[in-house]
Amino acid sequence: TWVGRSVGDLRQKKLFLTLSPIKKMTYKTGKSFSLEQANGEWSVVGKKDYPLDAIKINGIVTSIKNFEATEVVAETRNSKNLQTYRLQNSDFSLTFDLDGEKEPLVITVGRPHKTNTEVFLYTNRKPFIYKTYKSTVERWKLYLKDLKKLDPPKEEPKKKEAE
């Protein structure tokens, strides 16, 4: 039943509402970097030879595409709400340039409070402010070094047993 529920309960809480393939993904986490996807392969913009861990990148993309906020906490992004939900001067955002779409999807994530597990975020495509948990967005907050493909460990030559 819907008795006693807020309008926010009825709102779509999924941020990624498109099936369009991602052409480019830009991370702003203090320093910015961008990844481009062509023919199913990811590369760093301006550093084409940088080795990337495709499994890790695809896992992050899947996590973000499937993400659904726990709650819509505000219907508008006015300055009071941005301040209340720690979204002013955010240093963390993700921008997705999507194939066939003129406007990118931008997800802006607020600063987490030291003693609170809640984090708030919004997109440029909806006026709402959403709530999620710090543990969720911490998985998204990566730096380029976190996406570097590591060389597999080298096997040590087997020692011959003493005769």
Side-chain angles (χ1 to χ4, degrees):
T1 104
W2 292 102
V3 176
R5 297 184 84 176
S6 72
V7 173
D9 291 337
L10 305 175
R11 296 276 184 225
Q12 172 63 262
K13 296 174 192 83
K14 197 166 169 83
L15 304 184
F16 222 101
L17 295 174
T18 178
L19 297 176
S20 299
I22 298 170
K23 293 188 301 186
K24 183 176 169 185
M25 178 169 66
T26 301
Y27 268 83
K28 179 186 156 210
T29 53
K31 288 187 176 182
S32 295
F33 66 91
S34 296
L35 305 175
E36 283 182 316
Q37 183 175 219
N39 302 321
E41 298 288 322
W42 289 99
S43 62
V44 180
V45 174
K47 296 181 180 182
K48 296 287 183 198
D49 295 331
Y50 191 90
L52 291 171
D53 185 334
I55 293 170
K56 189 176 276 189
I57 294 169
N58 290 330
I60 295 297
V61 168
T62 299
S63 169
I64 294 167
K65 281 183 148 185
N66 292 335
F67 169 76
E68 192 166 329
T70 56
E71 186 179 342
V72 173
V73 295
E75 297 285 319
T76 59
R77 286 193 317 262
N78 57 36
S79 61
K80 181 182 178 211
N81 285 341
L82 293 175
Q83 184 175 358
T84 299
Y85 296 109
R86 303 177 56 82
L87 287 156
Q88 284 183 326
N89 306 317
S90 170
D91 67 348
F92 179 29
S93 66
L94 298 160
T95 302
F96 298 91
D97 292 278
L98 304 162
D99 196 26
E101 296 189 26
K102 291 181 183 178
E103 182 183 13
L105 170 66
V106 181
I107 300 172
T108 302
V109 181
R111 296 178 322 280
H113 193 275
K114 291 177 184 173
T115 60
N116 197 335
T117 61
E118 298 171 340
V119 175
F120 303 94
L121 46 98
Y122 66 88
T123 76
N124 61 321
R125 294 189 174 183
K126 300 273 184 190
F128 314 127
I129 295 176
Y130 303 91
K131 177 177 95 173
T132 190
Y133 294 97
K134 193 185 307 187
S135 59
T136 300
V137 296
E138 282 175 347
R139 290 189 304 243
W140 300 347
K141 193 168 189 174
L142 300 171
Y143 300 90
L144 187 55
K145 65 181 171 64
D146 299 322
L147 300 174
K148 186 173 185 175
K149 185 175 186 174
L150 303 175
D151 293 327
K154 293 181 181 178
E155 289 186 30
E156 292 185 28
K158 293 181 181 178
K159 295 180 182 177
K160 293 184 179 179
E161 291 185 31
E163 293 179 21

